[in-house]
Amino acid sequence: MPAPHIRRARSEDEQPLRRIDLETWSPLHAVSPPPGPDDPFFRDVCGPDAHLVAELHGTVVGYVRLGFPTPLASNTHVRQIRGLAVADAARGHGVGRALVRAAVEEARQEGFRRITLRVLGHNTAARKLYESEGFVVEGVQPEEFHLDGRYVDDVLMGQMLTGPDGPAEGALTT
């Protein structure tokens, strides 16, 4: 199978991305209620410009949502992965990895110092993916959520993109 093509989301991606959200929602990785069939995918605070999408053979098969950890001006040097989903049929083909790599690379190129994310403790597949892409556990909030009848840890992960004197080791410079 060819490598996925990663690009910025467009408004016409609304329906395919909504279908992916509906198909992939699970308490394994989501703390919010499942999306409704008529809920919009894009919202005022996270429109197409906040998403990278993956395509295989011209079909949208996944996305990564990017944003900021807080609305504070003192925190704008940090980019955050705020969502990642891959259509069931495209799993196991490197789509999630390609999306994570693209998010990290974009954050580097845009001059962010760090990139972070939050992942549920029981989502071992996602945690392994993030660790293999250079993210490290920076904190754990034990039993932060009660999901599907269980208490679940919230795992905070991140990686430095630049050091105090410029790009981190391995970072691209332009």
Side-chain angles (χ1 to χ4, degrees), residues 135-174:
F135 285 84
V136 296
V137 173
E138 297 179 338
V140 176
Q141 295 177 300
E143 298 186 0
E144 186 70 6
F145 299 104
H146 189 258
L147 302 170
D148 207 26
R150 306 177 33 195
Y151 290 98
V152 180
D153 296 348
D154 189 16
V155 180
L156 313 175
M157 300 182 79
Q159 67 174 276
M160 293 299 297
L161 301 174
T162 63
D165 300 320
E169 185 177 326
L172 296 181
T173 56
T174 54

Side-chain angles (χ1 to χ4, degrees), residues 48-67:
D49 60 324
H51 296 82
L52 298 175
V53 299
E55 293 181 333
L56 285 174
H57 306 292
T59 300
V60 173
V61 295
Y63 72 86
V64 61
R65 179 178 295 128
L66 300 167

Side-chain angles (χ1 to χ4, degrees), residues 45-46 50-51 64-70 75 78-83 112 114-116:
V45 294
C46 58
H51 296 82
V64 61
R65 179 178 295 128
L66 300 167
F68 295 95
T70 73
N75 196 218
V78 180
R79 197 66 160 147
Q80 187 173 54
I81 293 176
R82 301 184 61 89
F112 289 94
R114 290 177 29 79
I115 187 166
T116 64

Side-chain angles (χ1 to χ4, degrees), residues 87-112:
D88 290 341
R91 290 190 180 166
H93 297 289
V95 174
R97 183 173 306 282
L99 285 163
V100 170
R101 285 182 179 171
V104 170
E105 183 58 28
E106 179 178 283
R108 271 196 186 108
Q109 288 182 0
E110 291 180 0
F112 289 94

